[in-house]
């Protein structure tokens, strides 16, 4: 029975067939045959060609890698090939070699296999966005990517988590703090596919230094109070700074007046600088000072007047000190106290002056004028004080200097001695003004003296022109009957002639002539000196002191 046999693999099998031949007469002859149907032929197909794909391509996508074609079988139809992959690592992490085994099996288990080689490669460079070119100040850190910028959008077809790196090439600029960084950003995937971009970072120095301290202001000072220059320091954003200092002095109207211009300058290596100028106006308004101690007020007795002191002055700013010394006296005679005023006027080079004064009060006492005398051996005892004039202490002591004579205190008796010259000394040893004076008394025996002789001339010793009718005028007496003409000259203590008469009439009362030295008018109280010539007398001129009191 062949009805159970088929070309389908499922209908294969073995069947015994009996063949019977019968003739028309009904004679029959039979035989048997065994038939076996089987499928032993494998299917056929065309394998897709070997292919190389990028690592980001899906190797299971047969639209990319290829699928089998021309699947055929002698018995089966509608066959579909299948595959299995065996991947081996490639040269890098993203690369591999896939050996794809394609298998096609018919319904009777007949199979055919073919291999396809799929090379998975990574030849695609990663991508990223490079930060923009930037210009920064030299004090900023160019490695701080938060300042200079970092790459973004790092991407790769196969690798993940990639981080870009950079390499810097520094090109020097025009000054030490300025330069250019050529920053090469690199991004490489796991298969060493590398992409790079260049970022230009320009480093500049445009910031000037800043002084650290408070700046000295303009000032006006005395010439001895010029302050020392302050030491300033400065900060710069990019380097250590040394502050340069300079000083310029402009002379003023005098040696101590000047303008001092002080300049502090802080400059960096790129020419950025800051300066401060201080103007100091220096003046000298202080007069010189006295260095040597001096007694401002002194009391001196008689001639014990101190020498003019050698004073030393100093000035704070000037060595050229001009010293003018002046001394004035209020003395009007030799009998009254007076003052000596000494002044030193000191002036420095800038015209600052001061006056230093020393007042000396001179207390006058024991001023004695002595007049020698002639006496006859017949004269009576007389007082030696009659030979002295002036203001003096009469408590002194009279002594005999020469000659054999004796004294009774101040009294001397000519009748007790022989003809000759006798010298007596009056000495004051106590008190502030000790002094002594000598007088000569000539004793002769020519006791008959002519009425018009030298000894008959009586000359005033004092003029007190105060209107009391006592000694109001300077008088020359004792020669009224002699017929002499009196020629009188009066001089002050400095030798200046203050009065003159060629026919004097005993009428001078302390008035200076209009032509006299110092001008006309009443003369001050003091001691003056006369010169008297008795014309037609044949006598020598008379000269001596006269004390004039006009107040």
């Amino acid at each position: 029975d062949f009805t159970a046999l088929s070309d389908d693999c499922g209908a294969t099998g073995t069947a015994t067939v009996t063949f019977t031949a019968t003739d028309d007469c009904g004679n029959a002859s039979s035989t048997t045959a065994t038939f076996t149907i089987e499928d032993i032929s494998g299917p056929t197909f065309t394998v897709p060609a070997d292919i190389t794909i990028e690592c980001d391509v899906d190797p299971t996508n047969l639209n990319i890698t290829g699928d089998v074609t021309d699947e055929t079988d002698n018995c089966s139809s509608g066959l579909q090939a299948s595959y299995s992959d065996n991947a081996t690592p490639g040269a890098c992490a993203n690369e591999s070699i896939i050996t794809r085994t394609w298998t096609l099996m018919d319904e009777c288990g007949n199979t055919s296999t073919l291999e396809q080689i799929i090379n998975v490669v990574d030849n695609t460079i990663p991508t990223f966005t490079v930060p923009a070119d930037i210009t920064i100040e030299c004090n900023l850190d160019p490695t701080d990517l938060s300042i200079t910028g970092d790459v973004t959008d790092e991407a790769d077809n196969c690798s993940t988590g990639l981080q870009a790196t950079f390499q810097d090439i520094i090109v020097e600029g025009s000054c030490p703090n300025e330069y250019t960084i050529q920053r090469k950003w690199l991004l490489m995937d796991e298969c060493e596919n590398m992409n790079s971009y260049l970022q230009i970072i320009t480093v500049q120095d445009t910031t000037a230094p800043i002084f650290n301290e408070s700046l000295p202001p303009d000032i006006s000072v005395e010439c001895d109070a010029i302050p020392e220059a302050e030491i300033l320091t400065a900060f710069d954003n990019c380097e250590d700074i040394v502050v340069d200092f300079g000083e310029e002095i402009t002379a003023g109207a005098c040696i101590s007046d000047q303008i001092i211009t002080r300049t502090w300058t802080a400059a960096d290596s790129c020419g950025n600088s800051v300066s401060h100028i201080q103007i100091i106006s220096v003046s000298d308004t202080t007069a010189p000072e006295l260095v040597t101690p001096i007694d401002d007020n002194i009391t001196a007795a008689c001639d014990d007047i101190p020498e003019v002191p050698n004073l030393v002055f100093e000035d704070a700013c000037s060595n050229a000190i001009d010293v003018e010394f002046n001394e004035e006296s209020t003395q009007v005679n030799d009998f009254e106290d007076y003052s000596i005023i000494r002044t030193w006027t000191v002036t420095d080079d800038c015209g600052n002056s001061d006056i230093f004064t020393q007042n000396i009060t001179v207390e006058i006492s024991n001023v004695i004028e002595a007049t020698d005398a002639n006496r006859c051996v017949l004269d009576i005892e007389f007082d030696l004080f009659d030979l002295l004039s002036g203001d003096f202490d009469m408590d002194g002591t009279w002594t005999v200097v020469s000659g054999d004579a004796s004294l009774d205190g101040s009294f001397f008796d000519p009748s007790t001695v022989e003809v000759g010259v006798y010298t007596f000394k009056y000495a004051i040893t106590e008190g502030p003004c000790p002094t002594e004076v000598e007088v000569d008394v000539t004793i002769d025996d020519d006791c008959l003296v002519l009425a018009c002789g030298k000894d008959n001339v009586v000359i005033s010793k004092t003029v007190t022109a105060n209107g009391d009718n006592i000694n109001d005028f300077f008088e020359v007496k004792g020669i009224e009957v002699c017929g002499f003409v009196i020629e009188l000259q009066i001089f002050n203590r400095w030798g200046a002639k203050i009065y003159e008469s060629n026919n004097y009439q005993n009428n001078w009362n302390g008035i200076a002539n209009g032509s006299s030295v110092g001008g006309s008018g009443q003369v001050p109280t003091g001691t003056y000196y006369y010169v008297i010539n008795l014309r037609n007398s044949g006598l020598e001129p008379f000269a001596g002191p006269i004390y004039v009191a006009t107040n």
Side-chain angles (χ1 to χ4, degrees):
D1 183 6
F2 286 99
T3 59
L5 298 177
S6 171
D7 290 336
D8 294 334
C9 185
T12 59
T14 301
T16 301
V17 180
T18 300
F19 296 95
T20 300
T22 302
D23 61 16
D24 290 338
C25 289
N27 300 306
S29 180
S30 300
T31 188
T32 61
T34 300
F35 292 92
T36 300
I37 301 174
E38 59 185 351
D39 187 359
I40 60 173
S41 297
T44 62
F45 61 92
T46 300
V47 73
D50 293 343
I51 190 172
T52 297
I53 61 173
E54 277 291 310
C55 57
D56 58 341
V57 174
D58 182 6
T60 65
N61 187 343
L62 301 185
N63 292 326
I64 298 173
T65 59
D67 199 357
V68 299
T69 59
D70 304 328
E71 298 101 320
T72 60
D73 186 73
N74 60 338
C75 297
S76 300
S77 60
L79 298 180
Q80 291 292 330
S82 65
Y83 66 86
S84 63
D85 290 341
N86 180 29
T88 59
C92 62
N94 294 329
E95 292 185 345
S96 63
I97 300 173
I98 300 174
T99 302
R100 176 166 288 178
T101 303
W102 286 94
T103 302
L104 188 60
M105 179 185 293
D106 62 17
E107 295 180 13
C108 290
N110 298 301
T111 61
S112 296
T113 61
L114 293 174
E115 287 185 351
Q116 178 191 15
I117 301 301
I118 301 174
N119 287 311
V120 180
V121 296
D122 186 358
N123 294 324
T124 302
I125 61 175
T127 60
F128 62 92
T129 300
V130 69
D133 295 344
I134 191 172
T135 298
I136 62 174
E137 278 290 304
C138 54
N139 60 309
L140 297 179
D141 182 5
T143 64
D144 187 346
L145 302 185
S146 65
I147 297 173
T148 58
D150 199 355
V151 299
T152 57
D153 306 326
E154 298 101 320
D156 186 68
N157 59 336
C158 299
S159 297
T160 59
L162 297 182
Q163 293 291 330
T165 61
F166 62 84
Q167 298 173 346
D168 287 345
I169 296 176
I170 297 177
V171 179
E172 293 183 358
S174 59
C175 63
N177 295 329
E178 293 187 345
Y179 54 94
T180 300
I181 300 175
Q182 297 177 353
R183 176 163 290 175
K184 186 178 181 180
W185 285 95
L186 304 172
L187 187 60
M188 185 169 62
D189 64 16
E190 293 174 285
C191 289
E192 299 185 353
N193 297 297
M194 183 180 294
N195 194 6
S196 65
Y197 290 103
L198 187 64
Q199 178 192 18
I200 301 300
I201 302 173
T202 301
V203 180
Q204 64 181 10
D205 185 359
T206 61
T207 304
I210 300 173
F211 288 111
N212 294 320
E213 296 82 11
S214 297
L215 301 179
D218 296 343
I219 56 174
S220 297
V221 298
E222 278 288 304
C223 52
D224 59 342
I226 300 174
E228 293 291 332
E230 294 190 26
I231 298 176
L232 299 183
T233 60
F235 166 79
D236 186 70
N237 59 336
C238 299
E239 61 181 285
D240 292 333
I241 293 296
V242 175
V243 177
D244 292 328
F245 172 75
E247 183 176 272
E248 180 179 347
I249 298 176
T250 303
C254 62
I255 191 172
S256 300
D257 286 352
Q258 54 189 254
I259 299 295
I260 301 176
T261 303
R262 290 175 172 173
T263 303
W264 293 263
T265 301
D268 63 21
S269 302
C270 291
N272 303 298
S273 64
V274 62
S275 295
H276 175 69
I277 297 176
Q278 180 190 33
I279 303 297
I280 302 177
S281 300
V282 182
S283 59
D284 183 0
T285 61
T286 303
E289 296 180 350
L290 176 63
V291 177
T292 310
I294 182 175
D295 292 329
D296 295 334
N297 297 289
I298 298 176
T299 299
C302 298
D303 295 333
D304 190 21
I305 298 173
E307 296 291 331
V308 177
N310 184 20
L311 301 185
V312 176
F313 302 90
E314 70 176 12
D315 189 73
C317 307
S318 175
N319 293 323
I321 301 176
D322 179 65
V323 181
E324 293 185 5
F325 173 74
N326 183 58
E327 181 175 284
E328 294 182 356
S329 173
T330 63
Q331 184 178 17
V332 295
N333 56 56
D334 293 335
F335 309 106
E336 296 183 7
D337 294 348
Y338 64 95
S339 296
I340 296 175
I341 300 95
R342 293 170 175 171
T343 58
W344 291 262
T345 302
V346 292
T347 306
D348 65 16
D349 185 70
C350 290
N352 302 298
S353 295
D354 200 357
I355 298 175
F356 299 89
T357 303
Q358 182 183 61
N359 294 301
I360 303 173
T361 300
V362 182
E363 297 179 345
I364 298 298
S365 61
N366 300 331
V367 177
I368 305 173
E369 294 288 342
T371 303
D372 295 336
N374 287 77
R375 292 290 186 270
C376 175
V377 292
L378 300 178
D379 287 343
I380 63 174
E381 183 182 57
F382 72 98
D383 192 347
L384 291 177
F385 279 118
D386 292 341
L387 304 181
L388 304 181
S389 63
D391 181 12
F392 58 92
D393 186 355
M394 298 183 69
D395 292 335
T397 302
W398 283 97
T399 58
V400 178
V401 176
S402 66
D404 185 11
S406 61
L407 293 174
D408 181 9
S410 62
F411 287 91
F412 171 54
D413 186 356
S415 63
T416 62
V417 297
E418 297 180 353
V419 173
V421 178
Y422 295 85
T423 301
F424 303 97
K425 179 170 69 174
Y426 180 65
I428 301 174
T429 59
E430 302 295 332
C433 297
T435 188
E436 60 184 29
V437 65
E438 293 183 355
V439 294
D440 291 334
V441 178
T442 302
I443 304 300
D444 57 38
D445 56 4
D446 189 8
C447 297
L448 299 176
V449 181
L450 295 176
C452 297
K454 176 180 179 181
D455 293 338
N456 297 102
V457 180
V458 178
I459 301 172
S460 297
K461 295 183 180 297
T462 303
V463 173
T464 56
N466 54 12
D468 63 355
N469 295 320
I470 300 175
N471 296 328
D472 284 344
F473 299 98
F474 179 73
E475 296 180 333
V476 181
K477 301 172 70 176
I479 55 172
E480 292 82 354
V481 297
C482 297
F484 302 154
V485 176
I486 303 172
E487 296 176 344
L488 173 64
Q489 292 179 320
I490 303 291
F491 299 88
N492 64 18
R493 61 181 298 194
W494 294 282
K497 185 190 298 182
I498 63 170
Y499 179 80
E500 183 176 24
S501 175
N502 291 325
N503 187 13
Y504 182 61
Q505 300 300 317
N506 289 334
N507 57 352
W508 185 72
N509 62 349
I511 300 298
N513 288 343
S515 60
S516 68
V517 176
S520 62
Q522 192 174 54
V523 299
T525 298
T527 299
Y528 296 83
Y529 299 89
Y530 63 82
V531 175
I532 299 173
N533 179 38
L534 299 179
R535 195 166 64 238
N536 302 323
S537 70
L539 299 176
E540 294 292 328
F542 296 81
I546 175 69
Y547 180 72
V548 179
T550 59
N551 52 25

